[in-house]
Short mmCIF file of all heavy atoms in Angstrom, two decimals:
data_model
loop_
_atom_site.label_atom_id
_atom_site.label_comp_id
_atom_site.label_asym_id
_atom_site.label_seq_id
_atom_site.Cartn_x
_atom_site.Cartn_y
_atom_site.Cartn_z
N ARG Y 1 143.16 104.18 98.49
CA ARG Y 1 142.21 103.08 98.26
C ARG Y 1 141.61 102.60 99.58
O ARG Y 1 140.39 102.39 99.69
CB ARG Y 1 142.90 101.94 97.54
CG ARG Y 1 141.98 100.76 97.21
CD ARG Y 1 142.75 99.59 96.63
NE ARG Y 1 143.51 99.97 95.48
CZ ARG Y 1 144.85 99.95 95.41
NH1 ARG Y 1 145.56 99.58 96.47
NH2 ARG Y 1 145.47 100.33 94.31
N GLU Y 2 142.46 102.43 100.59
CA GLU Y 2 141.98 101.96 101.87
C GLU Y 2 141.04 102.96 102.54
O GLU Y 2 140.07 102.57 103.20
CB GLU Y 2 143.17 101.64 102.78
CG GLU Y 2 143.96 100.42 102.32
CD GLU Y 2 145.22 100.19 103.15
OE1 GLU Y 2 145.59 101.12 103.94
OE2 GLU Y 2 145.84 99.13 103.01
N ALA Y 3 141.32 104.24 102.39
CA ALA Y 3 140.42 105.26 102.94
C ALA Y 3 139.05 105.21 102.28
O ALA Y 3 138.01 105.36 102.95
CB ALA Y 3 141.05 106.65 102.77
N ILE Y 4 139.02 105.00 100.98
CA ILE Y 4 137.75 104.91 100.25
C ILE Y 4 136.99 103.65 100.67
O ILE Y 4 135.76 103.66 100.83
CB ILE Y 4 137.99 104.91 98.72
CG1 ILE Y 4 138.61 106.24 98.28
CG2 ILE Y 4 136.70 104.65 97.96
CD1 ILE Y 4 137.78 107.47 98.60
N GLN Y 5 137.71 102.57 100.89
CA GLN Y 5 137.06 101.33 101.35
C GLN Y 5 136.45 101.54 102.72
O GLN Y 5 135.32 101.07 103.00
CB GLN Y 5 138.09 100.19 101.39
CG GLN Y 5 138.53 99.72 100.01
CD GLN Y 5 139.72 98.78 100.05
OE1 GLN Y 5 140.44 98.72 101.05
NE2 GLN Y 5 139.93 98.05 98.96
N GLU Y 6 137.15 102.23 103.61
CA GLU Y 6 136.59 102.49 104.94
C GLU Y 6 135.39 103.45 104.85
O GLU Y 6 134.40 103.28 105.58
CB GLU Y 6 137.66 103.08 105.87
CG GLU Y 6 137.17 103.22 107.29
CD GLU Y 6 138.25 103.67 108.27
OE1 GLU Y 6 139.44 103.69 107.88
OE2 GLU Y 6 137.91 103.98 109.43
N ALA Y 7 135.47 104.43 103.95
CA ALA Y 7 134.34 105.35 103.78
C ALA Y 7 133.11 104.62 103.26
O ALA Y 7 131.98 104.89 103.68
CB ALA Y 7 134.75 106.46 102.80
N ALA Y 8 133.32 103.67 102.33
CA ALA Y 8 132.20 102.89 101.81
C ALA Y 8 131.55 102.07 102.92
O ALA Y 8 130.31 101.99 103.00
CB ALA Y 8 132.68 101.97 100.69
N ALA Y 9 132.35 101.48 103.78
CA ALA Y 9 131.80 100.73 104.91
C ALA Y 9 131.03 101.65 105.85
O ALA Y 9 129.98 101.27 106.37
CB ALA Y 9 132.94 100.03 105.66
N PHE Y 10 131.53 102.85 106.07
CA PHE Y 10 130.85 103.84 106.89
C PHE Y 10 129.48 104.19 106.29
O PHE Y 10 128.49 104.27 107.01
CB PHE Y 10 131.72 105.10 106.99
CG PHE Y 10 131.11 106.21 107.78
CD1 PHE Y 10 131.40 106.37 109.13
CD2 PHE Y 10 130.27 107.15 107.18
CE1 PHE Y 10 130.84 107.42 109.87
CE2 PHE Y 10 129.71 108.20 107.90
CZ PHE Y 10 129.99 108.32 109.25
N MET Y 11 129.43 104.36 104.98
CA MET Y 11 128.19 104.73 104.30
C MET Y 11 127.14 103.63 104.43
O MET Y 11 125.93 103.91 104.43
CB MET Y 11 128.46 105.05 102.84
CG MET Y 11 129.25 106.32 102.61
SD MET Y 11 129.71 106.54 100.87
CE MET Y 11 128.09 106.72 100.09
N ARG Y 12 127.57 102.40 104.49
CA ARG Y 12 126.64 101.27 104.54
C ARG Y 12 126.05 101.05 105.93
O ARG Y 12 125.06 100.33 106.08
CB ARG Y 12 127.35 99.99 104.07
CG ARG Y 12 127.78 100.00 102.61
CD ARG Y 12 128.26 98.63 102.18
NE ARG Y 12 128.92 98.64 100.89
CZ ARG Y 12 130.23 98.59 100.72
NH1 ARG Y 12 131.04 98.52 101.78
NH2 ARG Y 12 130.76 98.62 99.52
N GLN Y 13 126.64 101.63 106.94
CA GLN Y 13 126.17 101.40 108.31
C GLN Y 13 124.89 102.19 108.57
O GLN Y 13 124.80 103.38 108.23
CB GLN Y 13 127.25 101.81 109.32
CG GLN Y 13 128.48 100.94 109.30
CD GLN Y 13 129.56 101.43 110.24
OE1 GLN Y 13 129.26 102.09 111.23
NE2 GLN Y 13 130.80 101.11 109.94
N PRO Y 14 123.88 101.56 109.17
CA PRO Y 14 122.64 102.25 109.48
C PRO Y 14 122.89 103.45 110.41
O PRO Y 14 123.75 103.40 111.28
CB PRO Y 14 121.80 101.18 110.19
CG PRO Y 14 122.39 99.88 109.76
CD PRO Y 14 123.85 100.14 109.56
N GLY Y 15 122.15 104.50 110.18
CA GLY Y 15 122.24 105.67 111.04
C GLY Y 15 123.25 106.70 110.62
O GLY Y 15 123.40 107.74 111.27
N HIS Y 16 123.98 106.46 109.50
CA HIS Y 16 124.97 107.41 109.07
C HIS Y 16 124.48 108.31 107.94
O HIS Y 16 125.28 109.08 107.38
CB HIS Y 16 126.23 106.67 108.60
CG HIS Y 16 127.06 106.14 109.73
ND1 HIS Y 16 128.20 105.37 109.55
CD2 HIS Y 16 126.92 106.28 111.08
CE1 HIS Y 16 128.70 105.05 110.74
NE2 HIS Y 16 127.94 105.59 111.67
N GLU Y 17 123.20 108.24 107.60
CA GLU Y 17 122.70 109.00 106.45
C GLU Y 17 122.94 110.50 106.57
O GLU Y 17 123.35 111.16 105.61
CB GLU Y 17 121.19 108.73 106.26
CG GLU Y 17 120.85 107.32 105.84
CD GLU Y 17 120.74 106.36 107.01
OE1 GLU Y 17 120.96 106.81 108.17
OE2 GLU Y 17 120.45 105.17 106.79
N GLU Y 18 122.68 111.05 107.76
CA GLU Y 18 122.85 112.49 107.94
C GLU Y 18 124.29 112.90 107.86
O GLU Y 18 124.63 113.97 107.34
CB GLU Y 18 122.23 112.94 109.26
CG GLU Y 18 120.70 112.91 109.26
CD GLU Y 18 120.10 113.67 108.08
OE1 GLU Y 18 120.53 114.82 107.84
OE2 GLU Y 18 119.23 113.09 107.38
N ARG Y 19 125.20 112.08 108.36
CA ARG Y 19 126.63 112.40 108.28
C ARG Y 19 127.12 112.31 106.83
O ARG Y 19 128.01 113.08 106.42
CB ARG Y 19 127.43 111.51 109.20
CG ARG Y 19 127.25 111.89 110.66
CD ARG Y 19 127.77 110.85 111.63
NE ARG Y 19 129.23 110.77 111.69
CZ ARG Y 19 129.88 109.97 112.50
NH1 ARG Y 19 129.21 109.16 113.33
NH2 ARG Y 19 131.21 109.95 112.52
N VAL Y 20 126.56 111.39 106.06
CA VAL Y 20 126.90 111.31 104.63
C VAL Y 20 126.42 112.57 103.92
O VAL Y 20 127.15 113.18 103.13
CB VAL Y 20 126.31 110.04 103.99
CG1 VAL Y 20 126.49 110.09 102.46
CG2 VAL Y 20 126.93 108.80 104.58
N ARG Y 21 125.19 113.00 104.22
CA ARG Y 21 124.66 114.21 103.60
C ARG Y 21 125.49 115.44 104.01
O ARG Y 21 125.72 116.34 103.22
CB ARG Y 21 123.19 114.43 103.98
CG ARG Y 21 122.22 113.52 103.24
CD ARG Y 21 120.80 114.03 103.35
NE ARG Y 21 119.89 113.17 102.63
CZ ARG Y 21 119.27 112.13 103.18
NH1 ARG Y 21 119.45 111.85 104.46
NH2 ARG Y 21 118.45 111.38 102.45
N SER Y 22 125.92 115.47 105.25
CA SER Y 22 126.76 116.56 105.73
C SER Y 22 128.06 116.62 104.95
O SER Y 22 128.56 117.72 104.60
CB SER Y 22 127.03 116.40 107.22
OG SER Y 22 127.88 117.42 107.70
N ALA Y 23 128.61 115.45 104.66
CA ALA Y 23 129.86 115.40 103.88
C ALA Y 23 129.62 115.92 102.47
O ALA Y 23 130.45 116.65 101.91
CB ALA Y 23 130.40 113.98 103.85
N ILE Y 24 128.50 115.54 101.87
CA ILE Y 24 128.17 116.03 100.52
C ILE Y 24 128.02 117.55 100.57
O ILE Y 24 128.56 118.28 99.69
CB ILE Y 24 126.87 115.37 100.00
CG1 ILE Y 24 127.10 113.86 99.78
CG2 ILE Y 24 126.41 116.03 98.71
CD1 ILE Y 24 125.83 113.09 99.52
N GLY Y 25 127.32 118.06 101.57
CA GLY Y 25 127.12 119.49 101.68
C GLY Y 25 128.39 120.27 101.92
O GLY Y 25 128.46 121.48 101.65
N ALA Y 26 129.44 119.62 102.43
CA ALA Y 26 130.71 120.31 102.67
C ALA Y 26 131.43 120.63 101.37
O ALA Y 26 132.27 121.53 101.34
CB ALA Y 26 131.60 119.43 103.56
N TYR Y 27 131.09 119.91 100.28
CA TYR Y 27 131.80 120.10 99.03
C TYR Y 27 130.91 120.51 97.87
O TYR Y 27 131.40 120.83 96.78
CB TYR Y 27 132.55 118.82 98.68
CG TYR Y 27 133.65 118.55 99.67
CD1 TYR Y 27 133.46 117.63 100.71
CD2 TYR Y 27 134.83 119.27 99.63
CE1 TYR Y 27 134.44 117.43 101.65
CE2 TYR Y 27 135.82 119.05 100.57
CZ TYR Y 27 135.62 118.14 101.58
OH TYR Y 27 136.60 117.95 102.53
N ILE Y 28 129.59 120.48 98.07
CA ILE Y 28 128.66 120.95 97.05
C ILE Y 28 127.72 121.94 97.71
O ILE Y 28 126.98 121.58 98.64
CB ILE Y 28 127.88 119.79 96.41
CG1 ILE Y 28 128.85 118.74 95.83
CG2 ILE Y 28 126.95 120.30 95.32
CD1 ILE Y 28 128.15 117.52 95.25
N ASP Y 29 127.71 123.17 97.27
CA ASP Y 29 126.92 124.23 97.89
C ASP Y 29 125.47 124.11 97.46
O ASP Y 29 125.13 124.27 96.29
CB ASP Y 29 127.48 125.60 97.47
CG ASP Y 29 126.91 126.73 98.31
OD1 ASP Y 29 126.29 126.43 99.34
OD2 ASP Y 29 127.09 127.90 97.93
N LEU Y 30 124.60 123.83 98.42
CA LEU Y 30 123.18 123.56 98.12
C LEU Y 30 122.28 124.17 99.20
O LEU Y 30 122.69 124.26 100.36
CB LEU Y 30 122.91 122.06 98.09
CG LEU Y 30 123.29 121.29 96.86
CD1 LEU Y 30 123.11 119.82 97.11
CD2 LEU Y 30 122.45 121.70 95.68
N PRO Y 31 121.04 124.53 98.85
CA PRO Y 31 120.06 124.89 99.89
C PRO Y 31 119.79 123.70 100.79
O PRO Y 31 119.82 122.54 100.33
CB PRO Y 31 118.82 125.25 99.07
CG PRO Y 31 119.28 125.50 97.67
CD PRO Y 31 120.49 124.63 97.50
N PRO Y 32 119.53 123.92 102.06
CA PRO Y 32 119.33 122.80 103.01
C PRO Y 32 118.22 121.85 102.56
O PRO Y 32 118.34 120.63 102.74
CB PRO Y 32 118.95 123.52 104.30
CG PRO Y 32 119.58 124.87 104.19
CD PRO Y 32 119.50 125.23 102.74
#
């Protein structure tokens, strides 16, 4: 639960959009 809470805070921080997309791409195979 605490890890998910920290991840949510990370997602809300400006400038993290590309790292969030990178995380999604690590687990869902998609064209760039």
Side-chain angles (χ1 to χ4, degrees):
R1 182 186 305 115
E2 290 175 349
I4 296 301
Q5 290 169 342
E6 186 174 351
F10 178 93
M11 291 174 63
R12 295 189 191 103
Q13 292 176 26
H16 285 176
E17 292 84 0
E18 288 308 311
R19 286 167 72 177
V20 172
R21 284 196 179 92
S22 178
I24 293 170
Y27 294 99
I28 304 177
D29 193 13
L30 281 172

